[in-house]
Amino acid sequence: MLSAMNFDLDNLASILEEMPSSRSAMVGLSGGMDSIVLLHALHQLQTEGRLGFSLRALHVNHGLQSHANNWADHCVKICSQLEISLQIENANIQTTGSATSGEASHNRGLNKIPNLENAAREARYAAFEVNLTEGEVLLLAHHRDDQVETLLFRLMRGAGTKGLSAMPRARKLGKGLLFRPLLDFDWSKLQNWAKLNKLQWVVDKSNEDTSFHRNFIRHKLLPIVEQRWPNYRDSWSKTIELSAESESLLQELAEQDFQIVESAQRTVILLEPLRSLSKPRQRNLLRYWLKQLQLPDLGWNKLQQLCNEVVAGAANSSAIVVGEGYELLCYKSCLYVLRGVSTFSYHRTYTWNMNNTAVLDLEENGSLQIANVVGKGLKLSVKPGLSVRYRSGGESCKLLGRPTKAVKKLMQEHNVEPWFRDRFPLLYFGEELVCIPAIGVAESYAALSGEQGVLVEWLRPDLNPVAKS
């Protein structure tokens, strides 16, 4: 819908028909005009028997302003009048992190108080998500003016088609779904409804503070635009719709391209077919891959670096691109996404008395465990006095029946992935390297044929990246 609609019950009911079927909907109720209008209109539809789901509301108290409790009290009053169940959640605002999810990522670092607005938003959406029941729909009151503000905000950040698509009508959220039924209505239309029905709402005075970028757009830039181009909302809404259409086509292309690069592991793709694609298609595909893994977007600069330095590099290039909670690197003609590769500390040492402990936990590096065997493994005499260290460079070992070789060479021969080579736990007896798990035992410490021995196994850590919540 490119032209603004008049806000009335019929038009709202028509839009709600697009909403996936659900037995319950939860309104995100701030106490401001937009959400009060939405709740009131939904209640009227419910009273007329035109609402096919039950209705409840959730207010998130951020506690960032002195009168925040007044907003909560107002929501209690309104819901009591309408006989709608209300839940109030007190948010725990963390202002040290950065926004990473959904629409919030587009606002990172652009506010007067670093991360405060993003932190409040993330806390609010976390409260929404945790309180949504299975299959329930969260209804939010974002309107068309919010959309065009978001478009301009993201345009100034250099957003692509996804960002310029502004806020989606619907998306998954936790166990349920988020749905925005007011995106086709201008703020003025909602205000008319509020005045006509003599609704009461609270006013957030911070929304007038133009030192915040979004408020500056709303109160300074857009009024000037409207004076020159009164119908700018229509044309900008068209841009939003075309951007969303382009993004959809890019997703379809990425799905097709992914078929030629996918491997048996979700966190690994093939380099050669990836390199056969143009750079724009590479970037599009890589964004798609990371999204499928539910990992934060790399951003334009790092995506360029990934294509130009890692993907275009040698098959076993040591180049790494670090994302938020994950890293990308190449090995044997494949591109891997892993976590914790460059942040692991190799300076830890452990003492291990195998007579007392059969399993040794290695911090952030899996564990070592032993099995009693005959005719292989380490001699029993070393069990009480082992230490475990990591490589520092220059280590060598003479394995049973083989010449002395550098540990680095032994790992290459055994096809140990580069990101595991420095993580490999090395077992020492005194100052002698006596065992490299899964590779071999030093000849002078190996159990002989028929002799009791102990076999050491390293249970490697899971380096698959953790999906964002």
Side-chain angles (χ1 to χ4, degrees), residues 14-143:
S14 176
I15 291 173
L16 288 173
E17 291 177 0
E18 302 174 20
M19 190 182 88
S21 177
S22 177
R23 292 182 296 179
S24 174
M26 179 173 72
V27 177
L29 187 65
S30 69
M33 188 200 73
D34 314 338
S35 62
I36 292 292
V37 166
L38 176 59
L39 186 71
H40 181 265
L42 289 169
H43 176 260
Q44 285 201 10
L45 287 174
Q46 187 180 57
T47 301
E48 295 177 8
R50 300 170 64 186
L51 207 61
F53 48 82
S54 63
L55 197 59
R56 66 189 185 103
L58 175 67
H59 173 77
V60 180
N61 185 347
H62 300 99
L64 295 176
Q65 299 188 42
S66 59
H67 49 275
N69 290 335
N70 295 338
W71 301 346
D73 292 342
H74 182 71
C75 290
V76 170
K77 176 184 175 182
I78 295 299
C79 288
S80 177
Q81 292 173 350
L82 299 178
E83 297 183 342
I84 293 174
S85 172
L86 172 68
Q87 182 176 350
I88 296 178
E89 286 284 334
N90 294 315
N92 180 22
I93 306 298
Q94 303 291 334
T95 59
T96 55
S98 61
T100 59
S101 61
E103 296 91 353
S105 63
H106 296 280
N107 302 338
R108 187 182 296 118
L110 288 178
N111 291 310
K112 176 179 143 184
I113 303 174
N115 293 317
L116 180 60
E117 199 169 53
N118 288 337
R121 182 194 182 281
E122 289 178 352
R124 182 165 65 252
Y125 275 77
F128 290 151
E129 182 172 344
V130 76
N131 284 285
L132 274 177
T133 60
E134 188 72 37
E136 189 175 32
V137 177
L138 170 67
L139 297 175
L140 297 182
H142 296 114
H143 46 74

Side-chain angles (χ1 to χ4, degrees), residues 364-438:
E364 299 181 7
N365 201 34
S367 63
L368 293 170
Q369 64 181 28
I370 60 173
N372 294 318
V373 292
V374 177
K376 57 182 178 179
L378 283 167
K379 290 182 177 182
L380 295 182
S381 59
V382 304
K383 288 181 69 176
L386 289 169
S387 64
V388 180
R389 311 173 195 172
Y390 296 112
R391 291 177 58 200
S392 58
E395 298 89 352
S396 61
C397 187
K398 178 175 171 46
L399 299 180
L400 182 62
R402 300 184 62 185
T404 299
K405 287 190 176 183
V407 170
K408 179 179 179 180
K409 182 66 174 176
L410 290 170
M411 290 188 178
Q412 290 173 344
E413 291 177 355
H414 284 78
N415 294 316
V416 176
E417 299 93 331
W419 50 91
F420 276 124
R421 291 174 189 171
D422 286 340
R423 282 179 172 266
F424 236 84
L426 307 178
L427 277 65
Y428 284 80
F429 187 66
E431 293 302 313
E432 290 191 70
L433 176 57
V434 298
C435 177
I436 310 171

Side-chain angles (χ1 to χ4, degrees), residues 349-380:
T349 60
Y350 304 83
T351 58
W352 190 14
N353 185 338
M354 293 181 178
N355 290 327
N356 299 331
T357 307
V359 177
L360 178 66
D361 290 324
L362 306 174
E363 188 174 352
E364 299 181 7
N365 201 34
S367 63
L368 293 170
Q369 64 181 28
I370 60 173
N372 294 318
V373 292
V374 177
K376 57 182 178 179
L378 283 167
K379 290 182 177 182
L380 295 182

